[in-house]
Amino acid sequence: MRRITIFKSKNIDKLVFIPTVILFFAVSIFLMIGGSSLQGVLQTVLNWVTGNMGWGYMWIYIINFIFFGYLIFSKYGNIRLGAADEKPAYSNFQWGSMVFATAIDASILMLSMVDPLRYVQSPEGNVKPFSEAAYNLAHMYGQYDWGPMAWLMFGAPTIAIGYMMYNKKRKIQSLSDAITILDGDSLWKNITKKIVNILVVFGIMGGVGASVGLEIPIISNVLSSLTGLPDNLAMKIGLFFVLFVIFSAAVFKGLNGGIDKLSNAHIWTAIIFLAIVLLLGPTVYILKSETNSVGVLIQKFIPMSLNTVPNGNPSIEQQETIFYWGWWLSYMPFMGLFIAKLSRGRTIRQVLVGMLTYGALGCMSFYAVLGGYSLWLQKTGTVDLVHILNTQGQAAVISAVVGSLPMKYLMFAIYFLSCFVFLATTISSSAFVLSSFTSLPLKPGKEPSRVNRMTWVVVFIIFSFSLVLVGGFETVQTFCTLAGFPLMFVCILIIMSVFKMITQDKSIISTKSYINRRRRKKKATAERRSAIKGKLILWPKNTINKKPK
């Protein structure tokens, strides 16, 4: 009895915490034992999911995009998250900076350089590789995967959580608390809530863990180029140890004085690196390419959104889109909770438009600048990046791109610092959110227990290390794609809840009732009544028998 009391005092939801922790420990051990021999198996799994379930990923993004696009332009966009006269807690720039900084991690600093090289050598359709059309498409495609469709995926949990917290005064600790169609005490609803919470934990762990598995080898390669130390397993283990110390310190200390300091630091290092590349690189070429890419994106937006390749094998571009759709889905619960906490006092329209401007345009700028620079190096023959990618991997590509910049050692240092701080921020924040999602109801102002928080740090490190041992970009793609798959069904539940919330919102209903009352109370004139019968009367009824002056 005492043991149960002690366990409960740590506020851990055993029905969610224990199954997910055991699952990821088991998967980690399986990956460590299998090692690189599992690459072929994981590639087969990825091909099957892309070929057979790609339509599901496409449709959930289309439904989500249409629904929240409608909210932006509808009367429901005027609904404020909070009191009707409440002012936003942060300025537009502060809000946008925090949202953008938290949503992206070091992956965008890496993939924005590499993705265009994959596309230019294997363009979609009948486009000839390395042709002018191939370069145009290669520069644009990554911006689609990180653009409006992706960022509006955060709209569902953000609006649902924000509305329930600030308009309905409900305490939200996990995503299931904001899914109003699951309100009630019936058995099936309680079971569904637990399943939702488990799927959320699975998604965040799979997506964020895969991010670390992708980024550590690249950071190790960049550090090797900077210091001359060999890029081997020992260096990667050392990086994991350093990350573990940073994660532990930030998560152990909590939100104030830990995670918040990392968040404030990492956005500026990335912006500085991006600005240097733009100014010292082929500025005119990058700007011309981006202007062209905007037009190509508008032209091909609908065909790309519906491209399921029913006849033939999926292209690299289509596989990448499914991979990214799964990845964005895995971040959806985490980002929804974070953005909602920043958005009190903002209207639904302001939140969604902010995602499209600060979020989507911010990510697209990385692909515009870093992707444009990689394509310029390849096109001009300065560096054969495609050959490096095909023979040595993407870590070597990134080292080659950064090494081609002026003051390369300084650029290596800035890039390494940017990636490392990005990674530390993302994992620390994710571990903290996971500990909240797997806790029993917490009192206001109380944080999850340190036992819970530190457990997720350990799980993150072990799972990510197992992915590094397997190796290969396909490993990361497979886990991101699978992590997002069950969250498609969670997204549908959230959209249904948001629709129910806004259509029953008192401010909208009272406005409609007020307008209807005004119409009923408005005095009918003889002109109106008689006009119905075909007579045209130009003065009120009480003067109908009087001659006008």
Side-chain angles (χ1 to χ4, degrees):
M1 187 68 183
R2 184 180 178 185
R3 184 177 302 171
I4 296 176
T5 303
I6 292 174
F7 196 78
K8 283 188 176 181
S9 69
K10 295 175 181 177
N11 293 315
I12 296 177
D13 186 349
K14 295 181 288 183
L15 294 178
V16 178
F17 178 83
I18 294 177
T20 48
V21 169
I22 292 175
L23 172 64
F24 278 99
F25 270 124
V27 171
S28 300
I29 293 173
F30 174 74
L31 294 174
M32 289 180 184
I33 294 174
S36 58
S37 62
L38 293 175
Q39 288 185 10
V41 176
L42 295 174
Q43 179 65 62
T44 302
V45 173
L46 179 63
N47 292 338
W48 185 89
V49 173
T50 304
N52 294 279
M53 299 305 302
W55 61 270
Y57 290 89
M58 292 292 189
W59 272 112
I60 193 61
Y61 272 80
I62 292 170
I63 293 170
N64 185 82
F65 185 77
I66 292 175
F67 178 70
F68 287 100
Y70 164 73
L71 291 191
I72 291 175
F73 296 101
S74 72
K75 61 186 177 183
Y76 300 111
N78 296 321
I79 297 176
R80 191 172 300 276
L81 301 180
D85 58 347
E86 195 164 0
K87 301 295 182 182
Y90 303 97
S91 68
N92 290 333
F93 180 77
Q94 287 176 318
W95 182 90
S97 298
M98 287 188 287
V99 168
F100 178 72
T102 305
I104 61 173
D105 61 8
S107 303
I108 196 169
L109 285 168
M110 303 170 181
L111 296 174
S112 58
M113 297 182 188
V114 180
D115 281 346
L117 302 174
R118 294 191 180 96
Y119 305 147
V120 76
Q121 64 177 318
S122 301
E124 205 168 35
N126 298 320
V127 178
K128 184 179 178 181
F130 302 104
S131 63
E132 292 294 328
Y135 276 96
N136 292 338
L137 290 173
H139 190 264
M140 174 276 299
Y141 219 101
Q143 298 182 57
Y144 168 76
D145 291 332
W146 290 72
M149 289 276 283
W151 272 86
L152 277 188
M153 183 50 65
F154 297 152
T158 299
I159 303 305
I161 293 173
Y163 189 87
M164 295 308 295
M165 281 198 304
Y166 306 131
N167 296 59
K168 296 300 182 181
K169 309 301 181 184
R170 177 183 293 188
K171 184 178 180 296
I172 302 296
Q173 185 174 310
S174 61
L175 186 58
S176 63
D177 296 332
I179 303 178
T180 56
I181 62 174
L182 297 180
D183 286 350
D185 294 325
S186 62
L187 179 62
W188 76 269
K189 288 184 177 180
N190 288 327
I191 293 175
T192 304
K193 288 179 182 178
K194 294 297 181 184
I195 293 174
V196 166
N197 291 337
I198 290 174
L199 294 179
V200 166
V201 173
F202 177 82
I204 294 176
M205 269 298 306
V208 179
S211 296
V212 183
L214 165 70
E215 293 157 12
I216 284 293
I218 295 174
I219 293 176
S220 177
N221 192 281
V222 171
L223 182 60
S224 175
S225 301
L226 179 63
T227 62
L229 296 173
D231 178 16
N232 52 25
L233 182 61
M235 178 177 283
K236 294 179 177 63
I237 293 175
L239 286 174
F240 269 111
F241 177 76
V242 175
L243 283 174
F244 177 74
V245 173
I246 295 175
F247 298 165
S248 300
V251 174
F252 188 81
K253 197 166 185 180
L255 288 174
N256 297 321
I259 296 172
D260 58 340
K261 292 187 181 300
L262 285 174
S263 300
N264 292 334
H266 85 301
I267 186 62
W268 292 109
T269 57
I271 291 175
I272 291 171
F273 182 80
L274 199 67
I276 292 174
V277 174
L278 177 61
L279 296 175
L280 298 183
T283 307
V284 175
Y285 176 82
I286 291 173
L287 295 177
K288 288 174 64 177
S289 297
E290 179 58 18
T291 303
N292 181 74
S293 289
V294 172
V296 176
L297 178 59
I298 294 173
Q299 178 187 359
K300 294 184 172 293
F301 187 82
I302 295 178
M304 288 190 299
S305 301
L306 295 168
N307 182 18
T308 56
V309 195
N311 302 301
N313 297 320
S315 64
I316 289 179
E317 289 83 354
Q318 206 258 352
Q319 285 185 332
E320 290 276 294
T321 296
I322 300 303
F323 149 60
Y324 279 120
W325 280 183
W327 205 353
W328 287 95
L329 274 166
S330 70
Y331 272 82
M332 175 189 68
F334 163 58
M335 283 307 302
L337 181 62
F338 178 80
I339 299 176
K341 288 190 174 182
L342 298 179
S343 301
R344 183 166 189 165
R346 294 184 176 273
T347 65
I348 290 178
R349 181 178 296 110
Q350 289 173 331
V351 172
L352 297 177
V353 171
M355 290 179 184
L356 295 178
T357 51
Y358 292 98
L361 293 181
C363 286
M364 291 168 68
S365 65
F366 278 82
Y367 272 84
V369 177
L370 301 182
Y373 182 60
S374 293
L375 290 174
W376 180 81
L377 292 174
Q378 179 67 37
K379 186 177 182 181
T380 58
T382 305
V383 184
D384 191 353
L385 295 175
V386 171
H387 176 72
I388 295 175
L389 175 63
N390 296 336
T391 57
Q392 302 177 48
Q394 57 187 13
V397 168
I398 293 169
S399 293
V401 172
V402 178
S404 68
L405 293 166
M407 304 176 293
K408 70 174 185 178
Y409 287 108
L410 176 61
M411 296 305 295
F412 268 124
I414 295 175
Y415 185 81
F416 173 79
L417 180 63
S418 299
C419 291
F420 207 79
V421 176
F422 260 80
L423 189 58
T425 304
T426 301
I427 306 307
S428 301
S429 302
S430 300
F432 198 89
V433 170
L434 279 177
S435 64
S436 176
F437 283 178
T438 55
S439 293
L440 292 171
L442 299 170
K443 296 179 180 179
K446 184 176 177 61
E447 295 182 349
S449 70
R450 284 175 172 170
V451 172
N452 194 348
R453 293 185 310 215
M454 294 305 299
T455 300
W456 287 115
V457 172
V458 174
V459 173
F460 266 125
I461 293 295
I462 294 176
F463 177 63
S464 304
F465 182 70
S466 68
L467 292 179
V468 171
L469 290 181
V470 175
F473 184 56
E474 292 78 11
T475 302
V476 174
Q477 288 181 305
T478 302
F479 274 92
C480 286
T481 304
L482 295 178
F485 179 75
L487 291 177
M488 290 193 294
F489 307 101
V490 177
C491 185
I492 293 174
L493 294 177
I494 303 173
I495 291 175
M496 294 170 62
S497 295
V498 171
F499 179 78
K500 179 182 177 181
M501 292 174 192
I502 61 176
T503 53
Q504 297 179 358
D505 183 81
K506 291 182 178 180
S507 64
I508 297 295
I509 295 174
S510 61
T511 301
K512 288 163 53 177
S513 301
Y514 174 76
I515 293 173
N516 291 334
R517 288 197 304 270
R518 290 282 296 175
R519 286 174 177 171
R520 287 196 299 267
K521 289 180 179 179
K522 196 167 186 179
K523 291 183 179 180
T525 62
E527 174 185 358
R528 290 191 177 88
R529 289 206 299 265
S530 299
I532 297 175
K533 300 178 181 179
K535 297 178 182 179
L536 182 60
I537 308 297
L538 299 178
W539 51 88
K541 180 182 177 182
N542 57 359
T543 61
I544 195 168
N545 295 322
K546 300 179 182 179
K547 293 182 180 180
K549 296 181 180 179

